[in-house]
Amino acid sequence: MKNLTITLDDDLFAWTRVEAAKRGQSMSRFVSAALADRKTPGVAEQLATLEEFLTGPGWPGVADDLPKRDEIHDRPALLRHEPADLRDRSEGSGEAGDER
């Protein structure tokens, strides 16, 4: 690996320092990665798009408001309803044979 000394404007230096810190990298590693991305155009854009996709939808907090699966399926309307006024089959079995 070779060393290189570069000169940057104050604004560019400050921006580079902040961006490297956001990524947890040294400035040297950040600049090296930026140059490597520039060397292979398209790959960096594809990786950025993939990362954006994998982080989920861009609406933070929406999923927190949605009901959970158990809440949806445990509603009283979805529970099995058995009417109380129906007789059990064993009770009426003798009567049905007598009527015929």
Side-chain angles (χ1 to χ4, degrees):
M1 196 173 280
K2 300 288 183 177
N3 290 331
L4 171 69
T5 302
I6 60 172
T7 304
L8 301 173
D9 292 333
D10 291 338
D11 293 339
L12 183 57
F13 178 84
W15 178 84
T16 304
R17 188 173 185 182
V18 169
E19 291 299 314
K22 285 181 185 176
R23 291 171 175 79
Q25 298 176 332
S26 66
M27 287 182 61
S28 178
R29 185 168 301 265
F30 177 77
V31 171
S32 178
L35 291 173
D37 290 346
R38 180 82 186 241
K39 180 180 175 186
T40 54
V43 174
E45 293 173 13
Q46 291 173 358
L47 289 176
T49 303
L50 181 62
E51 181 66 28
E52 182 180 340
F53 175 76
L54 293 176
T55 56
W59 306 298
V62 170
D64 295 337
D65 299 340
L66 296 176
K68 305 293 184 234
R69 182 187 180 282
D70 292 338
E71 294 171 358
I72 293 171
H73 293 286
D74 286 342
R75 292 183 297 179
L78 296 177
L79 297 177
R80 185 175 176 177
H81 177 70
E82 295 185 20
D85 59 340
L86 294 180
R87 291 183 295 162
D88 191 20
R89 286 184 184 226
S90 62
E91 292 176 13
S93 61
E95 295 174 13
D98 293 338
E99 293 177 8
R100 287 187 198 171

